[in-house]
Amino acid sequence: MRYLIVLFCFVFFPSLAQEREFERIVHYHSDIQVQKNRDVLITETIKVYAGGQEIRRGIFRELPLSYEYKGGNWKVRFELLEVLRDGKVEPYHTENMSNGIRIYAGEKETFLDNGFYTYTLKYRVHHVLGLFDDFDEIYWNINGNGWQFQIDSLSATIQWPKGASMKRFDGYTGVFGARGKDFNIDLDSTKITFEVTRVMQSGENLTVAVAWDKGHLIYPTDWDEFVYWCQTYALFITALFGLLIGFLYNYRNWYKYGRDPKQGTIIPRFYAPEGFSPAECVYLKREGRQSNQMFGAQLVSLAVKGFITIKVNEKKGVFGEESYTITKNDPSEHKDILNDTEEAFMRNLIGSLQQMVLTKKYNPRVKAAWDQLISSIEHKQEGKYIVRNGALKAKQFIIPVVFMITGFIMHGLYGGPMYIVFIGLFLHIVMNIIFFRLYEQPTAEGRRLMDEIAGFEMYMKYADKLRIKAINPPSMDFDYFEKNLAYAIALGVADEWKNQFDVKMLEEAKVTRMPYLTGISIASMSNFSKSMSSTISSASTPPSSSGSGSGGGGSSG
C-alpha cells in the first residue's frame, strides 16, 4: 500500500515528489586509464540533483595540480579534453587556484531547472605515477575533499597498462587522513573497480592505490629526469641563479669602478688638514657618513676659537638630564676665524640670540644647524673627495626586479612555495645594500686627506711614543692641547689625547685658559663628549606624530 501511495504521488503530483529531493551527488564514478606514455586519462561522471540552492547554473570541480616530488614541488601538466552535460557539450571556464585549477561547468546567464543532471569531465594528467624499483603505481584521490554535498554512491575503475599484471592494491575512505575501508572491489585481468559501501558525507573521499609490474611504460630518459628536476626546483634554481648573477654583476662593477684608491703610508701628523673643521675631518674619515660626535665637536671648536661659551648645568634631581647653556661671546674675545662651514653652523644655531639652552627636548634651531652642517660638508666634499657612484647604485636594482618577475613566471608555470621568491628578493636587497656602500669611494685627493687625518689621529693617540721619533715635534703645552681638543673629541680619542699631557697641568691651566668651558673638567672630557652627543641627537629629532583609531570588519556570504 505504501509503495502505491508513493507511485501515485510521482504520477499525479510530480512537483510534490521533487520537493522531497535535496541537492546532492547521486552518483560519482571515475574511470582512470593509465597510458603507456605515462599519461593518465580520467573521465569523471557526476550525477547531481540541482535544487536551485547551491547548484543553480552548474557545478565546479577543484583539482589540486601540485604535489611534493623528491623534496621539491611538481606541478602536474593538465589538459581538459571535454565537458558534457547529459551527453551534450557544456560551456565551461577555468580559474587557477593556489595549488591547482577549478573547472566551472555551466553558463552565467543560464539557470538550471530543478532536477537530475549528469556531468562528464574528461581530462589528461602527466607525471603523476610512482615509478619504483620493483613496481609502478598510481595513487589517486578519486573525488577530492572539497565537495560540500552528500554523495550517495561513489566508485572508480582503474585500468593499468596493456600487458601488465597487478601486484597490489589498497584504498581508503573518509575525511582527509582517514584510513577507512568502506568499499568493495571487482577485479579482473585488466582493471579493478572500487565501490564505496556507504553514503559519503561532505568532505569525505575515496583514495585508491594500484601497483603493477615493471616494463610496461615508456620510462623517462636521463634528460627527462633532468627536466623534471629543473621544473621541480624551478623557484630554488631561479633564486640561486638570480643571486649568483646579482653578485657577479655587483662584484664586476665594484672591481671596475668602486674600489678605493690604495691607502698610502700613514705617518704621524701634528695638525689636522688645513682648512678642515673637526666635523669635516670626521665626515671624510668615515667616507661620507655622519657621526654623533660631529655636532658637539663643532660646538667645542667654536668655544676654543672664542665665539661661544659652553656651560654644563647641574642636574636637577636624581633623574635629571644634563643641559648646556650656550652664550655668544663679544667679538673682541674671538681668537681665530671661522671657515664657511663653521660660520653657517654658528648662524643657524645662535643667530641673533645672545644665549640658548640645549636640552634633550626637540629644538628647531638645533635641527636646522645639524642639517646645515651636514649639507655644507656634503656640498664641500661630494665629488671632490668622495664619489657616490649613483648610476651604479640605480642599476643594482634591475636584477632584483627581473628576478622577481621571473620568480612569478616560474611559480605560474611550475608551482612551488612563493616564499622562495620573497627570500631571494630579500637576500638580493641585503646584497645590494652591502655593495651600495662598497660602490662609494674616496677620490685620490680624498684618499690623501684621509691618510693625513689617520696620521693626525695616530699622533693624538700615541704622541708620547711617537714624539721621540718625530722631526721637530710640537711642544706638548696647553696651547697645543687646546688647539686640537675639538678634533680629539670629533675623532673619539679625547681620553687618549688628554693622557699625552700632564693632566694636573691641564687642570690648573684650564681655570684661567678655558673660561669658555664651564662645569667641565679635563678628566671628564670624554664623558662630556658622549653626553653632549646624546643631547644633540635628541634635540635634533622631531617628535613623531601619533594617533589612535578603531576599525571593524565583517564578512558576507
Side-chain angles (χ1 to χ4, degrees), residues 286-447:
R286 292 168 57 86
E287 297 188 31
R289 295 292 183 273
Q290 62 191 46
S291 165
N292 288 337
Q293 281 82 14
M294 291 170 62
F295 196 108
Q298 204 66 45
L299 276 179
V300 173
S301 179
L302 293 179
V304 169
K305 292 183 177 182
F307 284 81
I308 61 173
T309 296
I310 303 174
K311 178 185 177 184
V312 180
N313 301 317
E314 292 184 3
K315 293 182 180 180
K316 295 181 179 180
V318 177
F319 301 104
E321 296 179 347
E322 287 190 357
S323 63
Y324 307 88
T325 300
I326 311 298
T327 304
K328 186 190 297 183
N329 290 343
D330 186 89
S332 62
E333 299 181 27
H334 298 173
K335 303 176 184 178
D336 206 340
I337 60 174
L338 303 178
N339 64 22
D340 294 342
T341 298
E342 293 171 319
E343 283 185 0
F345 177 75
M346 176 82 175
R347 183 170 58 253
N348 280 274
L349 182 63
I350 304 295
S352 60
L353 298 179
Q354 190 62 37
Q355 190 178 82
M356 66 179 298
V357 177
L358 291 180
T359 66
K360 288 191 174 182
K361 183 179 179 181
Y362 172 65
N363 189 323
R365 281 186 171 274
V366 176
K367 171 69 171 160
W370 177 256
D371 291 344
Q372 177 280 325
L373 178 64
I374 301 301
S375 176
S376 177
I377 296 175
E378 285 180 349
H379 180 73
K380 182 176 180 179
Q381 296 190 9
E382 297 290 331
K384 185 176 181 181
Y385 304 130
I386 299 170
V387 178
R388 299 293 188 185
N389 283 321
L392 291 180
K393 295 176 181 178
K395 293 177 182 178
Q396 275 184 303
F397 293 94
I398 295 176
I399 293 179
V401 171
V402 172
F403 158 74
M404 184 171 62
I405 294 173
T406 305
F408 279 107
I409 293 174
M410 291 296 104
H411 176 74
L413 291 175
Y414 306 116
M418 273 301 296
Y419 68 80
I420 296 298
V421 176
F422 296 110
I423 291 176
L425 183 61
F426 172 76
L427 294 177
H428 263 293
I429 293 173
V430 171
M431 178 173 61
N432 280 358
I433 291 174
I434 294 172
F435 276 98
F436 193 94
R437 182 68 182 88
L438 292 175
Y439 282 156
E440 299 178 357
Q441 61 179 149
T443 62
E445 177 64 10
R447 180 72 263 174

Side-chain angles (χ1 to χ4, degrees), residues 25-29 45 47 150-155 195-196 198-200:
I25 297 175
V26 180
H27 181 64
Y28 194 119
H29 178 75
T45 304
K47 183 177 181 180
Q150 170 185 306
I151 303 177
D152 290 349
S153 68
L154 174 62
S155 60
E195 186 168 0
V196 175
R198 64 175 176 84
V199 173
M200 303 293 282

Side-chain angles (χ1 to χ4, degrees), residues 66-178:
S66 63
Y67 64 93
E68 184 178 328
Y69 176 71
K70 295 185 177 180
N73 182 85
W74 174 258
K75 187 171 183 180
V76 176
R77 193 166 70 217
F78 172 85
E79 181 183 2
L80 182 58
L81 303 175
E82 189 176 60
V83 177
L84 305 176
R85 175 164 63 90
D86 295 332
K88 298 179 180 179
V89 175
E90 177 76 348
Y92 69 90
H93 69 279
T94 62
E95 288 183 2
N96 291 326
M97 302 187 303
S98 60
N99 68 330
I101 192 170
R102 176 180 289 172
I103 305 166
Y104 289 90
E107 290 184 287
K108 183 178 180 181
E109 297 79 11
T110 302
F111 288 85
L112 301 176
D113 296 330
N114 291 5
F116 295 92
Y117 299 91
T118 300
Y119 290 88
T120 303
L121 305 178
K122 188 175 183 179
Y123 55 89
R124 179 184 288 115
V125 290
H126 178 72
H127 196 53
V128 297
L129 301 180
L131 307 179
F132 301 98
D133 293 338
D134 300 327
F135 60 89
D136 299 325
E137 179 190 67
I138 181 169
Y139 184 90
W140 196 254
N141 186 326
I142 299 302
N143 58 302
N145 300 88
W147 292 103
Q148 57 182 315
F149 305 111
Q150 170 185 306
I151 303 177
D152 290 349
S153 68
L154 174 62
S155 60
T157 298
I158 295 86
Q159 182 177 339
W160 45 83
K162 186 176 181 180
S165 298
M166 191 196 68
K167 297 191 68 171
R168 70 186 75 172
F169 68 87
D170 206 344
Y172 310 102
T173 57
V175 296
F176 179 78

Side-chain angles (χ1 to χ4, degrees), residues 271 304 336 456 478-487 497:
Y271 299 98
V304 169
D336 206 340
F456 179 44
F478 187 85
D479 290 336
Y480 185 57
F481 167 81
E482 178 186 42
K483 185 177 183 66
N484 293 313
L485 175 60
Y487 292 95
W497 182 236

Side-chain angles (χ1 to χ4, degrees), residues 112-293:
L112 301 176
D113 296 330
N114 291 5
F116 295 92
Y117 299 91
T118 300
Y119 290 88
T120 303
L121 305 178
K122 188 175 183 179
Y123 55 89
R124 179 184 288 115
V125 290
H126 178 72
H127 196 53
V128 297
L129 301 180
L131 307 179
F132 301 98
D133 293 338
D134 300 327
F135 60 89
D136 299 325
E137 179 190 67
I138 181 169
Y139 184 90
W140 196 254
N141 186 326
I142 299 302
N143 58 302
N145 300 88
W147 292 103
Q148 57 182 315
F149 305 111
Q150 170 185 306
I151 303 177
D152 290 349
S153 68
L154 174 62
S155 60
T157 298
I158 295 86
Q159 182 177 339
W160 45 83
K162 186 176 181 180
S165 298
M166 191 196 68
K167 297 191 68 171
R168 70 186 75 172
F169 68 87
D170 206 344
Y172 310 102
T173 57
V175 296
F176 179 78
R179 303 180 70 85
K181 298 291 183 178
D182 303 309
F183 60 84
N184 292 324
I185 63 161
D186 182 17
L187 176 64
D188 63 30
S189 61
T190 60
K191 63 183 183 297
I192 183 173
T193 299
F194 295 78
E195 186 168 0
V196 175
T197 57
R198 64 175 176 84
V199 173
M200 303 293 282
Q201 302 301 322
S202 172
E204 292 189 309
N205 73 92
L206 168 65
T207 299
V208 300
V210 178
W212 55 92
D213 56 330
K214 300 287 291 185
H216 302 282
L217 298 173
I218 299 174
Y219 295 100
T221 63
D222 291 342
W223 175 254
D224 292 332
E225 291 288 1
F226 176 72
V227 172
Y228 292 153
W229 183 87
C230 290
Q231 293 176 356
T232 299
Y233 295 96
L235 290 185
F236 293 92
I237 294 170
T238 300
L240 290 176
F241 267 93
L243 288 170
L244 178 61
I245 292 171
F247 174 79
L248 292 177
Y249 174 82
N250 278 308
Y251 182 82
R252 171 191 173 275
N253 285 340
W254 167 79
Y255 190 86
K256 191 172 182 178
Y257 304 109
R259 285 189 299 166
D260 292 0
K262 188 176 180 180
Q263 185 183 57
T265 302
I266 306 300
I267 59 175
R269 292 183 57 87
F270 308 139
Y271 299 98
E274 186 176 355
F276 272 66
S277 69
E280 292 172 277
C281 286
V282 175
Y283 191 84
L284 184 56
K285 175 197 171 184
R286 292 168 57 86
E287 297 188 31
R289 295 292 183 273
Q290 62 191 46
S291 165
N292 288 337
Q293 281 82 14

